[in-house]
Amino acid sequence: MKPEKIAAWHALAADSVLDRLGTDIAGLSQEEAEERLARHGPNALPSTATTHPALRFLSQFNSALIYFLLAAAFAAALLGHLVDALVIAVVVLVNAAVGFAQEGKAERALGAIRDMIAPHAIVLRDGARQTISVRDLVPGDIVILEAGDRVPADLRLLRARGLLIDEAPLTGESVPVEKQEEPVDDAAGIADQRSMAFSGTLVASGQASGVVAATGMQTQIGRISSLIQAVETVTTPLLRQINRFATRFTWLVMGGSIVLFTFAVLARGFHWIDALIAVVALAVGIIPEGLPAVITITLAIGVQRMAARNAVIRRLPAVETLGAISVICSDKTGTLTRNEMMVRRLLIERDTILVGGSGNAPEGGLTSEGSEDDADAIAAASGIVRCGLLCNDAALRRDADQWKVDGDPMEGALVALAMKAGINPDHLRAEWKRLDEIPFDAVYRFMATLHAGPAGESVIFIKGAPEAVMAIAGVDPSHWEQRIAQAAEHGERLLGFAIKRLHTRKTRIAFDDLGDGVDFLGLMGFIDPPREKARAAVAECRSAGIAVKMITGDHLATALAIARQLQISNEPRGLTGKDLEVLPDDALAACVLEIDVFARTSPEHKLRIVRALQSHGLIVAMTGDGVNDAPSLKQADVGTAMGHKGTEAAKEAAEMVLLDDNFSSIVAAVREGRTVYDNIRKVIAWTLPTSGGETIAVVLAILFGFTLPMTATQILWINLILAVTLGLVLAFEPSEPGTMARRPRAASAPLLSPFLLWRVLLVSVLLAALALGVFFHTLGQGRDIETARTMVVNMLVVAEIFYLFNVRYLHMRSLTWRGMIGTPAVLGAIAIVVLVQLLYTYAPLMQAAFESRALTLGDGALIIVLGIGLFFCLEGEKLLMRRLGWFEELS
């Protein structure tokens, strides 16, 4: 029979589940299994339809920016400037190739999830064990699980013995989850469904059998796969702004060209062919054809800088988007914390002992909270420390510069604690030889081991859930209630410890041996500690106006404790997955800005949170490492996966991968992103006035009927030589001081802010004034038109050199030693421009090609003096705007 999609299998008794699935503990018959396979389909995630590579490549040309470039190439070719047309065509092809190479992110993410499903499974069919392909599993199959197995489908557990399952990729839990066959509450979230084993998770220890409740797309991983398919790729702010700017600019140029052409023919008596050539020349001049290439190069340089900071960018525009981030939604486990359990607190009869250090490393001391004599307190705690080490199957080893746990993470923390207390684990375990054990089981929730002591005595050590160990020892939990609550406030997971000294030697242990004479040793509090650099990174985010939201599958108390330690906000507030279930989307959007921690969340919850934040116009970064993070990583403006502990599904869905899994690396990447955006604005602020100055000068010539101050070829020469030299060096500019002290820019902020628009207009007018000034000055001296035009070309180039030093610092004055000397890239580019302009002015070949003429030393001095005057004029304007407070208002 077909399983019910909405059946709460975790809440049903085992017999009821078997009955509803039409099976029994002996398994299905082969005939029934084949019939169900035909009905339900294979236990696999379907392959998504992919776009043909040729169509994917052609789709890269479908943007206003590309139309903008193609129009510039067509105009250049129409004027016979084939080299310029070829350069523009190469830029278009490079952009298309980059986009084509970055396509297919969602398909690869789905493929990574499909790879998580185990290839084979052990099942019972016709009452006998069989090994079959996972694809052939059907609802009702009885599956056998052992340590090391990957769960092949969503199973309702029928029998569980010491079963611990690592669900971190699915739920974000930092430690393996205890499983049981008893049903749990109907409203339990995924992380609390302890009677279920989910497809793609890993059996850490123990054995179990379960009945297949869901296969393929009906599994939890299948639902995540559906979410990824449903998420649409978000366009980055830069792409939106460039497309909007290119579209408006193209229409503006076209409209202006038509008006100017009409005016030249009807009002000034130009022949229509002459007018057309002049207007097309002007259009080519005003279109900054090198700008998109320089922006692409600026982004690529940002990628290189971020890689040096352990942040690998998988999609080029994400570099700039990082600079606009206003919210970072971070997973807790493995991102803000180390994903390494450690003992933080020992609660013994007369004292509380705090443990130093961080993570797996056995480094840090033990200090008493209630006694001035740490040595006496530590001696009193030696019994519970020894119990934790001996009632333990884990080992701690050093691998290069890292300490790694072989076994359960919490047991590994007990080994590290013993080493911090000065105990050699190997020596103590050799002294206290283990004879027998009662393995941990979710039914009774404790583990007990029998040991022969150094004097031959028999001793039982017990470790487990506090309530279970207290019950064995006959301890009243109310005596420890206040101290347990204090540990819970700090987000600590507690384990209880006890000891029983036997009067007779024994080699076997049974439950009856735990009846009387058990002494309670105390409790230990475990935490997954915050990363060392995470707190400083969170503080830097807050100073930069970036909110940090913690989204985790862990318990709310634990998550809030970590949030307080990291100081995510002054008073962190939280919601659970259950709270989110009853909140409609509009109510979630209304409160999402006030909530700092979201706990016990499912993939759907994470997706809703990201969308709720985006509904406020915020630019959202989402960090995570599990399969459960993949849909929200793709939905976010910048999805960020962990390189070490991240699953392949998370990496494929993300725009950025952190190689060191360190939250602080994303903050460094945000700083680089802001620098990239600043540099793009500098490129635009420097490039557009060149075209603007040329345009004003030519338009005035047409309007007032005087000779054009530049030919079409000279206009292209200025654009080409400046774009590939001075325009490019701005991409290498370092961060300005105070980059991370500014608030994030709004997602709707225009690429040309009011300040930049004012600056472009002002500099365009000043450049046009300088060009026409030297033009008429030269003609006034009785010199020929060719010499006057050569003066104009050199004046514009020199003016742009001095303007470059002014525009290098948009947020501070440029009249500083650092501002004046420039970077090596700036100085190198200026040297190239000077050399090329000397060739343009004095080389016979260049004079023949561009109709240029040699200038005198006096001409050169005049041009340089005017360039210096332009620099000081613009510095004065910048200073005045700051003193009047206009800069902050217009930026």
Side-chain angles (χ1 to χ4, degrees), residues 842-873:
Y842 298 104
L845 181 64
M846 299 293 282
Q847 289 178 345
F850 292 97
E851 299 181 354
S852 59
R853 294 293 182 268
L855 302 179
T856 66
L857 189 62
D859 294 333
L862 174 64
I863 289 172
I864 291 174
V865 169
L866 291 174
I868 294 173
L870 174 69
F871 174 80
F872 281 103
C873 175

mmCIF file of all heavy atoms in Angstrom, residues 842-873:
data_model
loop_
_atom_site.group_PDB
_atom_site.id
_atom_site.type_symbol
_atom_site.label_atom_id
_atom_site.label_comp_id
_atom_site.label_asym_id
_atom_site.label_seq_id
_atom_site.Cartn_x
_atom_site.Cartn_y
_atom_site.Cartn_z
ATOM 1 N N TYR A 842 54.671 63.397 -30.954
ATOM 2 C CA TYR A 842 55.907 63.674 -31.692
ATOM 3 C C TYR A 842 56.291 62.607 -32.717
ATOM 4 O O TYR A 842 57.116 62.888 -33.586
ATOM 5 C CB TYR A 842 57.066 63.852 -30.704
ATOM 6 C CG TYR A 842 56.851 65.023 -29.773
ATOM 7 C CD1 TYR A 842 56.463 64.827 -28.450
ATOM 8 C CD2 TYR A 842 57.005 66.328 -30.225
ATOM 9 C CE1 TYR A 842 56.256 65.894 -27.593
ATOM 10 C CE2 TYR A 842 56.793 67.414 -29.377
ATOM 11 C CZ TYR A 842 56.415 67.184 -28.064
ATOM 12 O OH TYR A 842 56.197 68.249 -27.236
ATOM 13 N N ALA A 843 55.755 61.399 -32.644
ATOM 14 C CA ALA A 843 56.147 60.354 -33.593
ATOM 15 C C ALA A 843 55.496 60.619 -34.955
ATOM 16 O O ALA A 843 54.268 60.806 -35.033
ATOM 17 C CB ALA A 843 55.735 58.986 -33.068
ATOM 18 N N PRO A 844 56.270 60.625 -36.051
ATOM 19 C CA PRO A 844 55.706 60.887 -37.387
ATOM 20 C C PRO A 844 54.580 59.929 -37.764
ATOM 21 O O PRO A 844 53.581 60.349 -38.367
ATOM 22 C CB PRO A 844 56.918 60.730 -38.307
ATOM 23 C CG PRO A 844 58.098 61.027 -37.433
ATOM 24 C CD PRO A 844 57.742 60.495 -36.085
ATOM 25 N N LEU A 845 54.739 58.661 -37.404
ATOM 26 C CA LEU A 845 53.705 57.682 -37.746
ATOM 27 C C LEU A 845 52.382 58.018 -37.067
ATOM 28 O O LEU A 845 51.312 57.956 -37.690
ATOM 29 C CB LEU A 845 54.170 56.272 -37.337
ATOM 30 C CG LEU A 845 53.199 55.125 -37.663
ATOM 31 C CD1 LEU A 845 53.034 55.002 -39.183
ATOM 32 C CD2 LEU A 845 53.711 53.803 -37.084
ATOM 33 N N MET A 846 52.432 58.386 -35.786
ATOM 34 C CA MET A 846 51.219 58.734 -35.043
ATOM 35 C C MET A 846 50.645 60.051 -35.563
ATOM 36 O O MET A 846 49.418 60.229 -35.623
ATOM 37 C CB MET A 846 51.532 58.854 -33.553
ATOM 38 C CG MET A 846 52.047 57.580 -32.928
ATOM 39 S SD MET A 846 50.812 56.269 -32.888
ATOM 40 C CE MET A 846 49.839 56.797 -31.498
ATOM 41 N N GLN A 847 51.511 60.995 -35.961
ATOM 42 C CA GLN A 847 51.022 62.256 -36.503
ATOM 43 C C GLN A 847 50.253 62.037 -37.796
ATOM 44 O O GLN A 847 49.238 62.698 -38.045
ATOM 45 C CB GLN A 847 52.209 63.201 -36.743
ATOM 46 C CG GLN A 847 52.835 63.736 -35.457
ATOM 47 C CD GLN A 847 54.034 64.629 -35.732
ATOM 48 O OE1 GLN A 847 54.578 64.644 -36.843
ATOM 49 N NE2 GLN A 847 54.473 65.378 -34.715
ATOM 50 N N ALA A 848 50.724 61.057 -38.584
ATOM 51 C CA ALA A 848 50.040 60.752 -39.840
ATOM 52 C C ALA A 848 48.701 60.082 -39.588
ATOM 53 O O ALA A 848 47.706 60.344 -40.275
ATOM 54 C CB ALA A 848 50.931 59.863 -40.709
ATOM 55 N N ALA A 849 48.659 59.214 -38.570
ATOM 56 C CA ALA A 849 47.437 58.450 -38.304
ATOM 57 C C ALA A 849 46.373 59.299 -37.622
ATOM 58 O O ALA A 849 45.176 59.170 -37.917
ATOM 59 C CB ALA A 849 47.755 57.224 -37.440
ATOM 60 N N PHE A 850 46.786 60.196 -36.691
ATOM 61 C CA PHE A 850 45.813 60.929 -35.867
ATOM 62 C C PHE A 850 45.785 62.431 -36.157
ATOM 63 O O PHE A 850 45.093 63.174 -35.463
ATOM 64 C CB PHE A 850 46.121 60.707 -34.378
ATOM 65 C CG PHE A 850 45.871 59.311 -33.911
ATOM 66 C CD1 PHE A 850 46.912 58.395 -33.832
ATOM 67 C CD2 PHE A 850 44.602 58.896 -33.566
ATOM 68 C CE1 PHE A 850 46.692 57.104 -33.405
ATOM 69 C CE2 PHE A 850 44.364 57.602 -33.132
ATOM 70 C CZ PHE A 850 45.410 56.695 -33.054
ATOM 71 N N GLU A 851 46.566 62.881 -37.160
ATOM 72 C CA GLU A 851 46.629 64.309 -37.504
ATOM 73 C C GLU A 851 47.073 65.148 -36.313
ATOM 74 O O GLU A 851 46.519 66.223 -36.045
ATOM 75 C CB GLU A 851 45.267 64.800 -38.033
ATOM 76 C CG GLU A 851 44.814 64.091 -39.301
ATOM 77 C CD GLU A 851 43.477 64.616 -39.813
ATOM 78 O OE1 GLU A 851 42.861 65.450 -39.119
ATOM 79 O OE2 GLU A 851 43.055 64.198 -40.898
ATOM 80 N N SER A 852 48.022 64.628 -35.539
ATOM 81 C CA SER A 852 48.553 65.372 -34.402
ATOM 82 C C SER A 852 49.759 66.194 -34.838
ATOM 83 O O SER A 852 50.330 65.973 -35.911
ATOM 84 C CB SER A 852 48.952 64.410 -33.277
ATOM 85 O OG SER A 852 49.936 63.486 -33.733
ATOM 86 N N ARG A 853 50.170 67.145 -33.994
ATOM 87 C CA ARG A 853 51.305 68.008 -34.296
ATOM 88 C C ARG A 853 52.183 68.152 -33.037
ATOM 89 O O ARG A 853 51.700 68.017 -31.906
ATOM 90 C CB ARG A 853 50.825 69.397 -34.730
ATOM 91 C CG ARG A 853 50.063 69.419 -36.039
ATOM 92 C CD ARG A 853 50.945 69.056 -37.226
ATOM 93 N NE ARG A 853 50.211 69.133 -38.494
ATOM 94 C CZ ARG A 853 49.585 68.099 -39.055
ATOM 95 N NH1 ARG A 853 49.586 66.916 -38.442
ATOM 96 N NH2 ARG A 853 48.955 68.247 -40.206
ATOM 97 N N ALA A 854 53.472 68.438 -33.275
ATOM 98 C CA ALA A 854 54.393 68.623 -32.155
ATOM 99 C C ALA A 854 54.054 69.903 -31.396
ATOM 100 O O ALA A 854 53.664 70.912 -31.984
ATOM 101 C CB ALA A 854 55.831 68.668 -32.672
ATOM 102 N N LEU A 855 54.195 69.816 -30.052
ATOM 103 C CA LEU A 855 53.918 70.963 -29.192
ATOM 104 C C LEU A 855 55.216 71.504 -28.615
ATOM 105 O O LEU A 855 56.224 70.794 -28.513
ATOM 106 C CB LEU A 855 52.969 70.571 -28.059
ATOM 107 C CG LEU A 855 51.606 70.000 -28.466
ATOM 108 C CD1 LEU A 855 50.804 69.631 -27.234
ATOM 109 C CD2 LEU A 855 50.836 70.999 -29.329
ATOM 110 N N THR A 856 55.184 72.763 -28.175
ATOM 111 C CA THR A 856 56.360 73.391 -27.583
ATOM 112 C C THR A 856 56.419 73.090 -26.084
ATOM 113 O O THR A 856 55.437 72.609 -25.486
ATOM 114 C CB THR A 856 56.315 74.908 -27.783
ATOM 115 O OG1 THR A 856 55.209 75.441 -27.023
ATOM 116 C CG2 THR A 856 56.154 75.261 -29.255
ATOM 117 N N LEU A 857 57.565 73.387 -25.473
ATOM 118 C CA LEU A 857 57.713 73.211 -24.031
ATOM 119 C C LEU A 857 56.726 74.095 -23.276
ATOM 120 O O LEU A 857 56.169 73.705 -22.246
ATOM 121 C CB LEU A 857 59.154 73.560 -23.629
ATOM 122 C CG LEU A 857 59.552 73.233 -22.185
ATOM 123 C CD1 LEU A 857 59.443 71.732 -21.934
ATOM 124 C CD2 LEU A 857 60.983 73.714 -21.913
ATOM 125 N N GLY A 858 56.476 75.282 -23.799
ATOM 126 C CA GLY A 858 55.503 76.184 -23.180
ATOM 127 C C GLY A 858 54.102 75.604 -23.216
ATOM 128 O O GLY A 858 53.320 75.774 -22.272
ATOM 129 N N ASP A 859 53.758 74.947 -24.336
ATOM 130 C CA ASP A 859 52.444 74.286 -24.425
ATOM 131 C C ASP A 859 52.299 73.239 -23.333
ATOM 132 O O ASP A 859 51.268 73.143 -22.652
ATOM 133 C CB ASP A 859 52.275 73.636 -25.797
ATOM 134 C CG ASP A 859 52.209 74.645 -26.927
ATOM 135 O OD1 ASP A 859 51.783 75.790 -26.661
ATOM 136 O OD2 ASP A 859 52.572 74.286 -28.062
ATOM 137 N N GLY A 860 53.350 72.443 -23.160
ATOM 138 C CA GLY A 860 53.316 71.390 -22.138
ATOM 139 C C GLY A 860 53.188 71.955 -20.747
ATOM 140 O O GLY A 860 52.433 71.436 -19.909
ATOM 141 N N ALA A 861 53.922 73.054 -20.467
ATOM 142 C CA ALA A 861 53.854 73.675 -19.137
ATOM 143 C C ALA A 861 52.463 74.215 -18.858
ATOM 144 O O ALA A 861 51.927 74.074 -17.747
ATOM 145 C CB ALA A 861 54.891 74.793 -19.048
ATOM 146 N N LEU A 862 51.841 74.841 -19.858
ATOM 147 C CA LEU A 862 50.484 75.366 -19.690
ATOM 148 C C LEU A 862 49.505 74.243 -19.344
ATOM 149 O O LEU A 862 48.662 74.387 -18.438
ATOM 150 C CB LEU A 862 50.049 76.080 -20.973
ATOM 151 C CG LEU A 862 48.584 76.556 -21.014
ATOM 152 C CD1 LEU A 862 48.339 77.610 -19.934
ATOM 153 C CD2 LEU A 862 48.228 77.093 -22.395
ATOM 154 N N ILE A 863 49.606 73.122 -20.065
ATOM 155 C CA ILE A 863 48.703 71.987 -19.829
ATOM 156 C C ILE A 863 48.876 71.452 -18.408
ATOM 157 O O ILE A 863 47.884 71.161 -17.706
ATOM 158 C CB ILE A 863 48.962 70.893 -20.882
ATOM 159 C CG1 ILE A 863 48.468 71.355 -22.263
ATOM 160 C CG2 ILE A 863 48.292 69.578 -20.474
ATOM 161 C CD1 ILE A 863 48.852 70.418 -23.399
ATOM 162 N N ILE A 864 50.129 71.325 -17.939
ATOM 163 C CA ILE A 864 50.370 70.774 -16.593
ATOM 164 C C ILE A 864 49.842 71.722 -15.522
ATOM 165 O O ILE A 864 49.228 71.306 -14.537
ATOM 166 C CB ILE A 864 51.875 70.508 -16.399
ATOM 167 C CG1 ILE A 864 52.310 69.349 -17.296
ATOM 168 C CG2 ILE A 864 52.183 70.183 -14.938
ATOM 169 C CD1 ILE A 864 53.800 69.095 -17.296
ATOM 170 N N VAL A 865 50.074 73.048 -15.704
ATOM 171 C CA VAL A 865 49.568 74.031 -14.727
ATOM 172 C C VAL A 865 48.041 73.966 -14.639
ATOM 173 O O VAL A 865 47.461 74.000 -13.546
ATOM 174 C CB VAL A 865 50.035 75.451 -15.110
ATOM 175 C CG1 VAL A 865 49.293 76.504 -14.278
ATOM 176 C CG2 VAL A 865 51.535 75.590 -14.902
ATOM 177 N N LEU A 866 47.375 73.848 -15.786
ATOM 178 C CA LEU A 866 45.911 73.734 -15.773
ATOM 179 C C LEU A 866 45.462 72.442 -15.085
ATOM 180 O O LEU A 866 44.439 72.429 -14.381
ATOM 181 C CB LEU A 866 45.381 73.784 -17.212
ATOM 182 C CG LEU A 866 45.507 75.136 -17.926
ATOM 183 C CD1 LEU A 866 45.073 75.015 -19.392
ATOM 184 C CD2 LEU A 866 44.673 76.209 -17.215
ATOM 185 N N GLY A 867 46.215 71.343 -15.275
ATOM 186 C CA GLY A 867 45.886 70.086 -14.607
ATOM 187 C C GLY A 867 45.997 70.203 -13.095
ATOM 188 O O GLY A 867 45.132 69.717 -12.346
ATOM 189 N N ILE A 868 47.073 70.875 -12.621
ATOM 190 C CA ILE A 868 47.236 71.083 -11.176
ATOM 191 C C ILE A 868 46.095 71.945 -10.636
ATOM 192 O O ILE A 868 45.547 71.691 -9.554
ATOM 193 C CB ILE A 868 48.604 71.742 -10.890
ATOM 194 C CG1 ILE A 868 49.739 70.781 -11.263
ATOM 195 C CG2 ILE A 868 48.714 72.157 -9.424
ATOM 196 C CD1 ILE A 868 51.125 71.394 -11.171
ATOM 197 N N GLY A 869 45.709 72.965 -11.405
ATOM 198 C CA GLY A 869 44.597 73.815 -10.985
ATOM 199 C C GLY A 869 43.306 73.028 -10.847
ATOM 200 O O GLY A 869 42.521 73.242 -9.908
ATOM 201 N N LEU A 870 43.071 72.083 -11.779
ATOM 202 C CA LEU A 870 41.875 71.233 -11.692
ATOM 203 C C LEU A 870 41.898 70.408 -10.409
ATOM 204 O O LEU A 870 40.876 70.288 -9.712
ATOM 205 C CB LEU A 870 41.819 70.310 -12.915
ATOM 206 C CG LEU A 870 40.700 69.250 -12.903
ATOM 207 C CD1 LEU A 870 39.337 69.914 -13.045
ATOM 208 C CD2 LEU A 870 40.904 68.223 -14.022
ATOM 209 N N PHE A 871 43.054 69.838 -10.057
ATOM 210 C CA PHE A 871 43.175 69.013 -8.853
ATOM 211 C C PHE A 871 42.798 69.820 -7.614
ATOM 212 O O PHE A 871 41.988 69.387 -6.785
ATOM 213 C CB PHE A 871 44.599 68.471 -8.737
ATOM 214 C CG PHE A 871 44.862 67.735 -7.456
ATOM 215 C CD1 PHE A 871 44.452 66.416 -7.284
ATOM 216 C CD2 PHE A 871 45.493 68.370 -6.391
ATOM 217 C CE1 PHE A 871 44.680 65.746 -6.091
ATOM 218 C CE2 PHE A 871 45.726 67.703 -5.201
ATOM 219 C CZ PHE A 871 45.323 66.384 -5.048
ATOM 220 N N PHE A 872 43.390 71.019 -7.447
ATOM 221 C CA PHE A 872 43.119 71.818 -6.248
ATOM 222 C C PHE A 872 41.679 72.328 -6.237
ATOM 223 O O PHE A 872 41.066 72.464 -5.170
ATOM 224 C CB PHE A 872 44.107 72.976 -6.152
ATOM 225 C CG PHE A 872 45.455 72.569 -5.634
ATOM 226 C CD1 PHE A 872 46.532 72.424 -6.489
ATOM 227 C CD2 PHE A 872 45.639 72.303 -4.281
ATOM 228 C CE1 PHE A 872 47.780 72.032 -6.009
ATOM 229 C CE2 PHE A 872 46.872 71.910 -3.800
ATOM 230 C CZ PHE A 872 47.951 71.769 -4.660
ATOM 231 N N CYS A 873 41.138 72.593 -7.399
ATOM 232 C CA CYS A 873 39.734 73.010 -7.475
ATOM 233 C C CYS A 873 38.819 71.918 -6.938
ATOM 234 O O CYS A 873 37.911 72.186 -6.142
ATOM 235 C CB CYS A 873 39.386 73.359 -8.920
ATOM 236 S SG CYS A 873 37.634 73.770 -9.177
#
